[in-house]
Amino acid sequence: MSPRPLIGIDLGTTNSLVAVFEDGAPRLLLNPHGEELTPSVVGIVDSGEVVVGACARSLALTRPERTVAAFKRWMGEDRSVELGGREFSPPELSSLVLRALREDAEAALGVTIEQAVITVPAYFNQHQREATRRAAQLAGLEVQRIVNEPTAAALTYGFHERQVDQKLLVLDLGGGTFDVTVMEIFEGTLEILSTAGESHLGGEDFTTSLVSHGLSKMGRQLELAELKEPLLVARLREEAEKAKHDIGASEEGTMRLPDTEGCVEDDSERVTVSASEFEEIVAPLVERLRGPTLRALRDADLSPERIGEVLLIGGATRMPVVRRMASELFGRPPRDSVDPDHAVALGAAVQAALVADDRAVDDLVMTDVCPHTLGVEVVKEFGSRQAQGYFLPVLHRNTTVPVSREEIVNTIHDGQTEVIVKVYQGEARKVEENLFLGELAVTDIPRGPAGQEVCLRFTYDLNGLLEVEAFVPATEKKFRTVLRHNAKSLSDAEVAASLRRMQQLKFYPREDLENQRLLAFSSAALKELDRFRRQDLEQKVDMYETSLHLNERGVFDHARQELLRALSALGLPYQEGSDAD
Ligand code: AMP
């Protein structure tokens, strides 16, 4: 193994995965449940401990108010989520998932992990990318590279099929985001031609449509029910999720309608949805998939017939309605060789190998594009009238990166000595509809008539970092800023404070899992024992179970030792990490 493990992380809306590149190939690492997919769910149990992954997802069923999922959708937004009486920002929640993945990878590889390549949807804007970087920082990970999810998927494909020479289109529909990327593979060089997407469209929306459908059968409306009957909605969501999978596998799915407390019984009322009804229910969502797909083709200057292969990634592309949309649009079925769940994490590990110059990938080259237009605010003149707030693009969307471009702007008033360069990201004509990224003050411009030149240079690197430079030819003065700490992300002091807060959390995902295992193991053992031997063990199990909720380390350690000793004495030694059954 290389001295520094090459780690790639797919931080998904619904599930996250971690992969390593070793012995010349990427491979997925398993979590303590022995699974590749770790649910991106965070919960806080009554004792105040943070649980992540499968434990948190189970908790969501009975205590939805103590869990949070799909928070990737809020990355980059200025909001917080209340959980167990504490406030969490979206990067803090993501950091808990990253931390669990990191610990799982460390356990699997037996080494400390400090660096990783992390994937984001191609269509994530600067704020969302920056929030992802912060999440990694809070999880103690240095981000080697932020890579776009479809690019990572294509890297997995390109890694295995270096000899092909063709244009590919990747449709990536995950839990919460949709990305389309057009690329070309030619003699081991993977060139991204264009990318488009929507950051608030994914498989969860298909589930929500089914939930709404179920609620309407109960005479209820989603928004109101979410507020008034959260347990019912949480349970119905589970039912809808199952039904969604069943519709794909067996042409119809059934949801049991829960009561207000979220309970379902054998005789609960049911709603069956056929594949064709489902298609009708989700038609508006499928329609929304077409727009970005066509835009990506237009930006790459290609017609659908010129696409050699269509790759589908992201769990939600398993839905037949999505596959059908792709088949109809491209006139051929999509390619099945890439696993929609695994491709991104494996590609992230290949990217880690590229960053590390691993010999196994020295014949693989990748270029990417910037997904959004980057530019500045300018004033426009209409006759003698000046109007503010217009957007002047400097780097157009889908420009190959790394890239550096110059644009000249001018002062607008006589005697103007300062220009505040305001930088935005987006496609709209007016800056108010675009995303403000930051500003650069250009000062000491010699007094003179309006029209003094200021040369702006934008440099965008593979990590999505934007460097803005300004040069005043009259004074030869240079000004520079790197826009990574933008207005909405945290300052370094805030990061430090956040780190301190996070460290105070009692974060025991692994111990929690381990504790649950021991409980399950001893409960199963009890059933096998005769009355006399059972009594003693039962008392130890009860004590241990109580200690799990007391949140006192001393009491817990003692109860655990006692239980382990009792099990050994009965000839039933428990091995840490062994399975309950
Ligand atoms: P990802 O973020 O890529 O793990 O995708 C998660 C999304 O894929 C969730 O909305 C899942 O409900 C959805 N999904 C996964 N498998 C299937 C399936 N077999 N049928 C329908 N949707 C699925």
Side-chain angles (χ1 to χ4, degrees):
M1 194 199 299
S2 73
R4 191 179 265 179
L6 306 171
I7 298 295
I9 294 178
D10 169 6
L11 182 60
T13 308
T14 321
N15 294 298
S16 296
L17 298 91
V18 53
V20 63
F21 192 94
E22 62 181 10
D23 303 329
R27 89 179 152 89
L28 293 170
L29 297 174
L30 304 182
N31 65 24
H33 290 280
E35 285 160 1
E36 289 145 349
L37 271 64
T38 295
S40 307
V41 185
V42 173
I44 294 200
V45 293
D46 286 334
S47 58
E49 287 168 12
V50 173
V51 288
V52 174
C55 293
R57 197 177 52 190
S58 308
L59 188 67
L61 270 185
T62 49
R63 308 292 301 275
E65 78 289 357
R66 296 200 75 97
T67 63
V68 53
F71 36 82
K72 180 173 166 184
R73 286 174 172 219
W74 307 322
M75 290 291 268
E77 289 180 19
D78 225 357
R79 64 187 285 171
S80 61
V81 182
E82 207 248 31
L83 191 61
R86 294 180 213 163
E87 295 285 319
F88 290 88
S89 66
E92 286 176 340
L93 292 169
S94 293
S95 81
L96 293 170
V97 176
L98 287 173
R99 191 161 142 175
L101 294 175
R102 175 190 168 183
E103 290 182 357
D104 292 346
E106 287 179 339
L109 297 171
V111 290
T112 306
I113 290 165
E114 285 162 352
Q115 292 183 316
V117 166
I118 299 183
T119 61
V120 295
Y123 223 56
F124 254 23
N125 64 34
Q126 295 299 104
H127 286 173
Q128 293 163 313
R129 284 165 197 264
E130 185 63 17
T132 306
R133 194 180 288 281
R134 290 294 188 201
Q137 198 175 357
L138 292 174
L141 282 171
E142 182 198 329
V143 177
Q144 287 173 296
R145 176 80 38 100
I146 294 265
V147 59
N148 295 328
E149 287 162 11
T151 306
L155 267 175
T156 304
Y157 178 84
F159 177 78
H160 293 293
E161 312 219 14
R162 288 180 219 192
Q163 300 325 316
V164 299
D165 171 10
Q166 66 185 350
K167 307 228 172 19
L168 298 173
L169 182 134
V170 182
L171 284 181
D172 178 2
L173 188 65
T177 52
F178 175 53
D179 277 333
V180 188
T181 298
V182 181
M183 60 193 79
E184 181 168 18
I185 297 189
F186 180 65
E187 291 179 353
T189 299
L190 212 127
E191 187 181 350
I192 307 295
L193 302 177
S194 69
T195 175
E198 259 201 55
S199 56
H200 288 87
L201 175 60
E204 302 299 320
D205 297 296
F206 288 71
T207 308
T208 304
S209 296
L210 274 182
V211 172
S212 283
H213 180 72
L215 286 171
S216 72
K217 296 282 176 198
M218 300 170 84
R220 288 166 165 84
Q221 197 239 346
L222 180 64
E223 282 82 14
L224 221 61
E226 269 175 337
L227 281 177
K228 291 190 167 166
E229 296 162 301
L231 288 173
L232 184 158
V233 177
R235 187 59 202 254
L236 186 57
R237 220 185 154 77
E238 280 282 308
E239 293 284 318
E241 181 69 23
K242 270 197 231 109
K244 183 176 79 172
H245 287 235
D246 290 346
I247 291 165
S250 57
E251 290 293 307
E252 67 171 34
T254 298
M255 298 183 275
R256 289 173 298 175
L257 302 180
D259 63 19
T260 305
E261 298 305 313
C263 296
V264 285
E265 307 290 345
D266 284 346
D267 59 352
S268 293
E269 212 183 309
R270 287 155 200 259
V271 175
T272 298
V273 178
S274 68
S276 60
E277 275 175 287
F278 181 65
E279 211 158 306
E280 252 173 63
I281 293 169
V282 301
L285 297 174
V286 175
E287 196 46 45
R288 278 169 65 196
L289 299 174
R290 274 180 218 277
T293 310
L294 295 172
R295 188 161 71 243
L297 283 170
R298 261 198 318 274
D299 279 0
D301 208 12
L302 291 174
S303 58
E305 306 79 61
R306 305 252 336 261
I307 298 295
E309 290 281 9
V310 178
L311 307 185
L312 297 185
I313 59 164
T317 57
R318 291 213 162 92
M319 284 184 289
V321 277
V322 176
R323 305 184 79 82
R324 191 159 326 119
M325 186 283 282
S327 303
E328 280 168 15
L329 198 63
F330 294 95
R332 92 187 69 98
R335 169 121 181 171
D336 269 329
S337 68
V338 173
D339 185 306
D341 287 329
H342 300 167
V344 172
L346 291 170
V350 174
Q351 177 67 69
L354 282 170
V355 174
D357 285 331
D358 192 286
R359 280 184 43 214
V361 291
D362 60 7
D363 56 342
L364 199 62
V365 177
M366 196 205 71
T367 70
D368 212 335
V369 294
C370 67
H372 305 270
T373 301
L374 294 155
V376 294
E377 177 178 3
V378 288
V379 168
K380 277 194 178 175
E381 290 190 340
F382 300 100
S384 60
R385 198 172 66 84
Q386 289 185 335
Q388 290 187 332
Y390 284 86
F391 182 55
L392 173 72
V394 179
L395 294 178
H396 284 275
R397 74 162 188 252
N398 290 323
T399 307
T400 300
V401 290
V403 62
S404 190
R405 289 247 166 90
E406 209 173 76
E407 191 68 49
I408 295 176
V409 293
N410 303 96
T411 56
I412 49 170
H413 305 296
D414 293 341
Q416 184 177 342
T417 58
E418 189 177 277
V419 170
I420 305 292
V421 180
K422 291 195 172 154
V423 181
Y424 288 83
Q425 182 173 49
E427 314 305 325
R429 271 171 67 236
K430 300 274 186 78
V431 291
E432 64 193 13
E433 290 169 50
N434 292 332
L435 185 74
F436 176 65
L437 295 181
E439 58 187 35
L440 174 67
V442 180
T443 54
D444 301 327
I445 301 171
R447 281 181 198 283
Q452 301 287 316
E453 279 189 352
V454 177
C455 305
L456 299 178
R457 176 171 284 281
F458 276 27
T459 306
Y460 193 82
D461 75 3
L462 273 169
N463 276 317
L465 287 189
L466 175 65
E467 180 187 49
V468 178
E469 291 167 292
F471 174 68
V472 182
T475 58
E476 300 208 333
K477 275 202 174 162
K478 282 188 181 157
F479 303 82
R480 173 182 178 272
T481 183
V482 175
L483 291 182
R484 58 178 293 179
H485 302 294
N486 52 57
K488 275 192 184 160
S489 67
L490 307 172
S491 68
D492 284 345
E494 283 169 314
V495 168
S498 188
L499 264 175
R500 276 198 300 277
R501 248 164 22 87
M502 304 294 283
Q503 268 154 13
Q504 283 162 11
L505 287 176
K506 287 165 275 149
F507 180 69
Y508 297 130
R510 174 157 300 103
E511 286 99 304
D512 190 79
L513 190 65
E514 188 56 41
N515 298 342
Q516 299 301 336
R517 273 211 179 118
L518 175 55
L519 190 60
F521 177 88
S522 34
S523 304
L526 267 182
K527 293 184 199 155
E528 309 299 324
L529 298 177
D530 61 48
R531 183 155 65 102
F532 301 104
R533 296 200 304 162
R534 181 184 169 115
Q535 225 169 25
D536 180 49
L537 185 63
E538 194 154 10
Q539 187 216 352
K540 299 283 187 309
V541 176
D542 289 348
M543 213 171 80
Y544 174 68
E545 192 175 32
T546 313
S547 82
L548 286 180
H549 302 287
L550 284 180
N551 198 25
E552 282 179 37
R553 185 51 89 176
V555 176
F556 165 75
D557 286 345
H558 176 71
R560 186 178 169 94
Q561 282 312 320
E562 287 283 294
L563 178 57
L564 290 172
R565 217 170 286 141
L567 284 167
S568 289
L570 289 164
L572 299 164
Y574 173 76
Q575 311 242 310
E576 298 230 343
S578 71
D579 267 332
D581 43 11

